Amino acid sequence: MSVLVECEGLKKRFGRKEAVRGIDLEIEEHDVFGLIGPNGAGKSTLIKMMTGLIWPDEGSVTINGYDVHNEHSKAMENVGAIIEWPSFIPYLSARENLEMLSGGCGEDFQRELAEVVAFVNMTANLDRKIGNFSTGMKQRMGIALSLIPQSKFVILDEPTNGLDPNGITEIRQIISERNKKFGTTILLCSHLLGEIESVCNKMAIVHDGQIALAGPIDELLNTNGRILVRTDNNLKAVDIIKDSFPQTIGLTIPSEKKDEIYIDTGEDIAADINSSLVGQGVRVSHISYVKPSLEEFFNDVTGGQTDV
């Protein structure tokens, strides 16, 4: 995969507050890339610099090889974005809004508009006044607008804001299908960690104006998992594990689940631990490798700040 978006050394200050403090980030073609972080971490500032809405004090952003701030038209040629909330002219129809806000015209545009609106399942509402739309319908039209014209890179900032569970599921399906069917690269900023985990293949955690961690979600969670063991004699099991596997990082027996042992180590020695315990007379009723949820992982990285 080739790099589509590259941020290098981005810094931005507002008065005394340093909102972004040297961010380096790469997004490859066809990624569905999640961006998460506590409120005030610098996510919105980063997105606005990526789209050229604000200029960085230092550093650069390139999209498809073009500098966003010095070659803005070329960089943004195939980029669509919803930042914070899709805004429309309420007394115009959905069709008129899409035509006016996208700047499109002609037969080719009308054909593409029809395809995109059908993709987000809004064809029947295309000629209705958008001021009468529900929140979910407006979000769908916002996504439609971000996909015109032929967007290869789409930035969606909280696209499921204000939606009920069914609406959230539908928007997630639209995002996944667009990526799989057309290879569209998507940057998804969301405070719903379950959304990031279910839709994205990669992510970055923004914390205190910097990238605290970035990479493929499965790899990040796998490297922070633990081995769970249940035995008939946990005290003896702990002594055996300490003696036989000094490389293990930590051993805990949760007070609320006294029959469980958690070992902070990699999955690769689970079979050896099992053999060692059984060989020394400890009955093992269960052993497995447990990955943390994204919420647990996020809390560990940000020190428990959950207001994403």
Side-chain angles (χ1 to χ4, degrees), residues 205-257:
I205 297 177
V206 184
H207 184 51
D208 195 23
Q210 297 177 305
I211 299 295
L213 219 147
I217 293 177
D218 284 343
E219 289 183 17
L220 293 174
L221 296 184
N222 272 327
T223 56
N224 287 270
R226 302 182 294 175
I227 294 175
L228 164 63
V229 184
R230 296 193 186 102
T231 77
D232 65 343
N233 189 339
N234 277 355
L235 293 178
K236 183 177 179 181
V238 167
D239 288 338
I240 292 170
I241 294 169
K242 284 180 177 178
D243 291 341
S244 304
F245 303 93
Q247 75 270 37
T248 55
I249 299 170
L251 273 163
T252 57
I253 303 177
S255 58
E256 71 276 10
K257 292 184 178 180

Side-chain angles (χ1 to χ4, degrees), residues 9 13 39 44 110 115 128 145 157 198 229 259 264 296:
R13 178 184 292 276
N39 287 332
S44 294
Q110 289 298 331
E115 290 174 359
R128 288 180 54 196
L145 181 61
D157 184 15
S198 66
V229 184
D259 64 330
D264 296 330
E296 291 170 329

Side-chain angles (χ1 to χ4, degrees), residues 70-116:
N70 296 316
E71 303 169 286
H72 188 259
S73 295
K74 290 182 178 180
M76 302 301 292
E77 191 170 18
N78 296 115
V79 178
I82 302 175
I83 298 179
E84 294 178 353
W85 192 260
S87 296
F88 297 102
I89 302 168
Y91 55 83
L92 296 181
S93 69
R95 183 191 303 276
E96 290 166 332
N97 269 278
L98 292 178
E99 290 173 346
M100 182 176 296
L101 296 175
S102 69
C105 61
E107 290 184 6
D108 289 344
F109 170 78
Q110 289 298 331
R111 192 179 303 112
E112 184 188 355
L113 184 150
E115 290 174 359
V116 168

